[in-house]
Amino acid sequence: MKVILLEDVKNLGKKGEVVKVSDGYARNFVIPKKLGVEANGKNMNDLKLQKANEERIAKELLEAAEKFAAEMETKEVVVSIKSGEGGRTFGSVSSKEIAEAAKAQCGMEIDKKKIQLPEAIKSLGAYEVSVKLHPKVMGKLKVKVQEAK
């Protein structure tokens, strides 16, 4: 019997896959536990529509991420940090501070976990920081670190 899986089942398959299992396994385990449904015409059509909808949503998310990345590259965020003589800073600029500054100065909501700093920013100057907006989209944000007054 062919079954459409509604959830991931160990040693059987992933959600949305059509798998062939024995009739007894399907009737006694997969279907009663709501792990899958029989792969008849109606259910196959529902699966096809669901996958088309998921693809459309994924495409919209990708386009939104690309648009946000293009917008982000035109902006610059200024972060102030205490520093001593010779431009030496006390501490470093974290991704949390960059995210807060981006929200306050540009109105951009950026998750601090998506900001990727190659190494800690421990000196004054201008930096370009990578932001992972989508698995396929990386944005660049200009960060200017200046001395706090």
Side-chain angles (χ1 to χ4, degrees):
M1 173 184 291
K2 286 192 176 185
V3 176
I4 300 171
L5 296 177
L6 300 175
E7 294 181 26
D8 292 353
V9 180
K10 190 174 181 180
N11 297 328
L12 192 58
K14 301 266 184 209
K15 177 180 177 181
E17 286 183 0
V18 179
V19 294
K20 186 165 175 56
V21 296
S22 67
D23 292 353
Y25 185 64
R27 277 195 305 269
N28 296 322
F29 181 75
V30 177
I31 295 172
K33 292 197 181 263
K34 306 268 191 270
L35 299 174
V37 293
E38 186 178 349
N40 58 23
K42 179 193 176 299
N43 291 338
M44 290 296 284
N45 193 32
D46 289 347
L47 176 67
K48 192 185 304 179
L49 292 173
Q50 183 180 3
K51 284 192 177 187
N53 188 36
E54 288 172 359
E55 286 176 12
R56 184 181 52 79
I57 291 171
K59 185 179 176 188
E60 288 174 0
L61 288 173
L62 178 64
E63 290 172 357
E66 289 171 344
K67 183 178 175 186
F68 189 68
E71 178 186 332
M72 189 186 330
E73 289 183 16
T74 63
K75 308 280 184 180
E76 182 178 69
V77 176
V78 179
V79 179
S80 298
I81 188 170
K82 285 186 178 180
S83 63
E85 287 186 30
R88 294 193 40 92
T89 61
F90 300 118
S92 63
V93 178
S94 68
S95 58
K96 179 181 177 187
E97 292 169 325
I98 294 171
E100 289 173 354
K103 184 176 181 182
Q105 296 170 17
C106 305
M108 295 187 298
E109 287 281 340
I110 301 173
D111 186 9
K112 68 179 184 177
K113 295 174 189 143
K114 296 187 179 196
I115 296 174
Q116 298 178 333
L117 297 171
E119 70 246 357
I121 299 174
K122 294 185 178 185
S123 60
L124 304 177
Y127 297 90
E128 201 167 84
V129 177
S130 297
V131 181
K132 188 168 185 146
L133 300 171
H134 187 273
K136 297 179 183 175
V137 179
M138 290 289 285
K140 299 277 187 202
L141 180 65
K142 293 179 189 89
V143 178
K144 184 177 179 186
V145 181
Q146 68 183 17
E147 185 176 353
K149 293 174 172 63

